[in-house]
């Protein structure tokens, strides 16, 4: 069996050799396995010779036998997977390392190289400012060599990289050395331009080649996949140096656009595979403004809700950004159709027609016109109703009680370590999780009991003082005390709470009124009315009103296909046709103004088809896919 992509079981099997081993040994084992299986002769290259294990090494013998038994012939591409796979989970969270499939790298590199004549390739500089183990360089160097360049000159004059981890830099050098030796260039030392550093403050002007060139001609790669909450402290401090990171809680990939563009020569090009929600998300606002201000050309291949990377719930797009004044070219496709794309598949979109603040509408003109109609009719949802997020204890398995029995005064509760305690009913509140609801009849059975150590007076909410809690609710206090050590570890023990038994956040502790509950993400418009005014909620959102009829009217509208059409074309996509329903994505949906007779007619309708027909007419829409 020969495959460009290793079966996960092979990688898992290999990992047992890496337990309690240092990076040099792991690297040596991977290199030695490859050299042994390929019968590759290394005579001169000092880097590779320093990583070749003795032939009687037990790990080497055993794994080579495993490969023979399963008829697996390794390729250099497999080594990229090996190196990315053995990065510790902790490091992956910090540096965002992820294996980029070869067909993605091929597409990006081919699209870059086709912009320049082959005879000019040797004069161009190519950077990867988060190079990892060197997958992009492996693809690029192979292409450049096909034009007659030696690997020695490619590594010295054309390829420049940086990565935050030293072992990634070492592995990149090993892979590139193997590529050269396998193609007949076995010299003692290659002059690599691959450095260890944090791209958020790395100064490329110290490299005389890049300084003399005025920057890079091209920058390619896969910026780090690190969410805002996982960014290390040093990088958080450095983010403030990049203007595109100044809206919302910026993920780490966002400044890598600005870093690349500011290190390019005029007319240069960035080619990235990266997260696709920057054109709609709150934390992408400053980057959108940056792009609009400079009017840089952007060609975007959006993979929508398809997950390209194994083991990562990440939604991606390929972006080519030229440091020239141009417009946006956009298309959405699946990875299997990537090579079928032509210029006719892209729609041209003008910056002047986009909103940096609310998000870019990157669709064809007919869809854009429909969205504009929907948003301009009536009043935006966010102005009609208060859109609220649920409470956040940061330890729901303690505060949401696992009730196994009850009497007139107490709930009998199973603790996290299977001990049974009791809690006074008077300190508990009803709570519901909108993510679990699809219809009103489910509410009663899905209500839960929340231990609520707070006092509500009107709109004011205050924590019960510990001594009063201990005296007035001794059983609840004992229950909380039983879990005190666990509660102390919330927010990694770094946050200072009003009291050790306080909720993690103070939001939504007194949302009083009728509620229209809905989930964070959904694959259909699930909106459920709760008439219990003091009902608390978590893991979801609600619209709040004292007017029950108005909630029932808007429920009809939001459960319609008009609303879902809007969401599918404006919201953040997830896998399996799920979409985000966060406030930022729904607040601009227009609620049509209805007469009293129209409201009455709408509320009386039982058939969803009748509702959709009425709303299509009200919104003046003719939608083929509804």
């Amino acid at each position: 069996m020969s495959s460009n992509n290793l079966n996960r079981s092979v990688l898992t099997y290999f990992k047992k050799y890496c337990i309690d081993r240092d990076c040099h040994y792991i690297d040596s084992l991977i290199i030695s396995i490859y050299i042994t299986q390929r019968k590759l002769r290394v005579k001169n290259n000092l880097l590779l010779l320093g990583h070749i294990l003795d032939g009687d090494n037990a790990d080497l013998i055993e794994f080579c036998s495993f490969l023979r038994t399963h008829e697996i012939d390794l390729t250099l591409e497999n080594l990229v997977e090996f190196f990315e796979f053995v990065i510790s989970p902790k490091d992956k969270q910090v540096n965002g390392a992820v294996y980029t499939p070869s067909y993605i790298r091929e597409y990006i590199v081919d699209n870059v190289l086709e912009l320049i004549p082959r005879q000019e390739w040797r004069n161009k500089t190519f950077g990867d400012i988060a190079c990892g183990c060197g997958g992009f360089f492996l693809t690029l160097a192979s292409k450049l060599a096909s034009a007659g360049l030696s690997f020695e000159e490619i590594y010295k004059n054309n390829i420049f990289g940086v990565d935050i981890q030293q072992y990634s830099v070492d592995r990149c050098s090993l892979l590139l050395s193997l590529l050269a030796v396998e193609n007949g260039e076995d010299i003692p030392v290659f002059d690599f331009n691959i450095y260890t550093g944090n791209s958020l403050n790395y100064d490329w002007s110290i490299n005389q080649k890049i300084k003399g060139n005025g920057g890079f001609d091209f920058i390619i790669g896969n910026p780090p996949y690190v969410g805002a909450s996982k960014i290390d402290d040093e990088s958080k401090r450095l983010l403030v140096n990049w203007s595109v990171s100044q809206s919302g809680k910026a993920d780490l990939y966002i400044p890598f656009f600005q870093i690349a563009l500011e290190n390019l020569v005029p007319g240069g090009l960035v080619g990235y595979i990266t997260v696709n929600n920057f054109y709609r998300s709150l934390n992408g606002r400053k980057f959108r403004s940056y792009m609009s201000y400079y009017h840089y050309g952007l060609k975007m291949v959006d993979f929508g809700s398809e997950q390209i990377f194994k083991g990562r719930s990440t939604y991606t797009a390929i972006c080519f950004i030229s440091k020239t004044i141009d417009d946006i070219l956009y298309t959405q496709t699946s990875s299997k159709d990537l090579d079928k794309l032509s210029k006719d598949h892209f729609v041209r979109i003008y910056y002047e027609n986009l909103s940096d603040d609310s998000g870019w509408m990157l669709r064809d003109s007919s869809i854009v016109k429909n969205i504009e109609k929907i948003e301009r009719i009536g009043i935006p949802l966010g102005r009609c109703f208060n859109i609220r997020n649920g409470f956040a204890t940061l330890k729901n398995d303690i505060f949401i009680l696992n009730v196994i029995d009850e009497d007139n005064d107490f709930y009998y509760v199973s603790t996290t370590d299977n001990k049974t305690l009791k809690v006074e009913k008077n300190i508990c509140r009803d709570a519901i999780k909108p993510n679990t609801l699809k219809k009103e009849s489910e509410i009663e059975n899905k209500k839960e009991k929340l231990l609520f150590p707070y006092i509500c007076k009107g709109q004011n909410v205050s924590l019960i003082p510990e001594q009063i809690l201990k005296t007035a609710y001794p059983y609840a206090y004992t229950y909380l005390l039983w879990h005190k050590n666990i509660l102390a570890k919330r927010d990694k023990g770094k946050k200072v709470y009003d009291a050790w038994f306080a909720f993690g956040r103070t939001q939504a502790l007194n949302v009083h009124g009728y509620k229209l509950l809905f989930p964070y993400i959904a694959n259909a418009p699930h909106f459920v009315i709760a008439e219990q005014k003091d009902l608390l909620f978590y893991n979801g959102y609600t619209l709040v009103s004292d007017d029950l009829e108005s909630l029932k009217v808007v429920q009809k509208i939001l459960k319609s296909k008009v609303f879902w059409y809007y969401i599918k074309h404006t919201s953040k996509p997830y896998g399996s046709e799920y979409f985000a329903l966060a406030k930022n994505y729904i607040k601009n949906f227009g609620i049509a103004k209805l007469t009293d007779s129209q409201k009455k007619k709408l509320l009386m309708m039982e058939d969803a088809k009748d509702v959709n027909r009425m709303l299509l007419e009200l919104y003046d829409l003719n939608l083929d896919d509804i």
Side-chain angles (χ1 to χ4, degrees), residues 565-578:
Y565 173 89
Y566 178 84
I567 287 298
K568 287 174 69 174
H569 292 295
T570 62
S571 181
K572 178 181 177 181
Y574 289 88
S576 303
E577 289 299 303
Y578 277 76

Side-chain angles (χ1 to χ4, degrees), residues 9-21 25-26 29 58-59 62-63 66 85-86:
S9 62
V10 178
L11 294 170
T12 303
Y13 181 84
F14 173 77
K15 198 164 188 177
K16 74 174 185 175
Y17 299 106
C18 305
I19 298 173
D20 297 327
R21 300 285 194 171
Y25 181 81
I26 296 170
L29 181 57
D59 293 340
E62 182 180 350
F63 197 78
F66 171 84
F85 181 72
V86 295

Side-chain angles (χ1 to χ4, degrees), residues 433-446:
K433 183 160 54 174
N435 282 2
T436 67
L437 295 174
K438 291 182 174 58
K439 50 188 177 181
E440 280 76 10
S441 60
E442 298 173 337
I443 291 178
E444 196 58 38
N445 288 332
K446 292 189 174 183

Side-chain angles (χ1 to χ4, degrees), residues 67-325:
L67 294 175
R68 284 195 302 273
T69 301
H70 292 82
E71 299 181 339
I72 298 171
D73 298 323
L74 293 180
T75 65
L76 280 177
E77 188 64 30
N78 299 148
L79 266 60
V80 179
E81 285 193 83
F82 273 130
F83 281 140
E84 297 288 3
F85 181 72
V86 295
I87 295 174
S88 73
K90 179 182 178 182
D91 283 350
K92 284 183 180 179
Q93 285 187 357
V94 173
N95 66 19
V98 62
Y99 167 71
T100 307
S102 58
Y103 71 92
I104 295 290
R105 304 197 316 260
E106 291 268 351
Y107 183 84
I108 292 174
V109 170
D110 286 345
N111 273 266
V112 167
L113 291 178
E114 72 178 14
L115 298 175
I116 43 178
R118 286 170 66 90
Q119 63 269 24
E120 293 184 17
W121 289 3
R122 68 173 62 249
N123 302 318
K124 300 300 180 182
T125 55
F126 302 84
D128 185 344
I129 58 177
C131 66
C133 299
F136 272 90
F137 285 155
L138 204 66
T139 302
L140 175 62
S142 298
K143 300 280 186 182
L144 294 177
S146 71
L149 283 72
S150 70
F151 288 102
E152 182 180 12
E153 61 182 316
I154 291 170
Y155 299 159
K156 182 178 181 179
N157 300 321
N158 304 111
I159 286 179
F160 302 81
V162 65
D163 195 87
I164 198 169
Q165 296 289 358
Q166 179 62 49
Y167 58 71
S168 292
V169 171
D170 294 340
R171 290 167 178 175
C172 182
S173 301
L174 284 167
L175 281 169
L176 293 176
S177 297
L178 267 180
L179 175 65
V181 171
E182 195 167 50
N183 284 275
E185 283 190 49
D186 185 3
I187 65 174
V189 177
F190 288 106
D191 189 3
F192 292 114
N193 294 288
I194 305 169
Y195 309 103
T196 304
N198 189 329
S199 283
L200 293 174
N201 69 342
Y202 192 82
D203 182 9
W204 278 103
S205 67
I206 63 175
N207 185 287
Q208 293 304 310
K209 175 77 173 180
I210 301 304
K211 183 178 181 180
N213 194 56
F216 291 99
D217 295 300
F218 302 95
I219 291 180
I220 56 176
N222 186 351
Y225 291 76
V226 184
S229 63
K230 300 289 179 61
I231 298 175
D232 64 278
D233 291 339
E234 179 193 1
S235 295
K236 283 180 180 177
R237 289 192 294 269
L238 296 174
L239 280 176
V240 300
N241 297 326
W242 302 98
S243 64
V244 298
S245 302
Q246 305 308 308
S247 55
K249 295 180 179 180
D251 297 331
L252 190 54
Y253 78 94
I254 289 178
F256 276 74
F257 285 112
Q258 186 178 0
I259 296 168
L261 287 163
E262 294 189 4
N263 279 285
L264 278 184
V265 298
L269 183 76
V270 177
Y272 278 167
I273 170 74
T274 190
V275 179
N276 68 1
N277 70 338
F278 66 85
Y279 68 92
R280 287 172 294 198
S281 65
L282 175 63
N283 65 13
R285 280 181 180 174
K286 289 294 185 180
F287 176 56
R288 293 192 294 271
S289 297
Y290 178 91
M291 289 292 290
S292 295
Y293 178 80
Y294 288 104
H295 226 285
Y296 289 145
L298 168 61
K299 183 179 180 181
M300 183 172 177
V301 180
D302 191 352
F303 293 115
S305 60
E306 181 183 2
Q307 294 180 2
I308 299 295
F309 300 110
K310 291 187 293 187
R312 288 290 185 108
S313 297
T314 305
Y315 308 98
T316 54
I318 293 174
C319 297
F320 297 101
I321 306 177
S322 59
K323 200 170 179 179
T324 55
I325 295 176

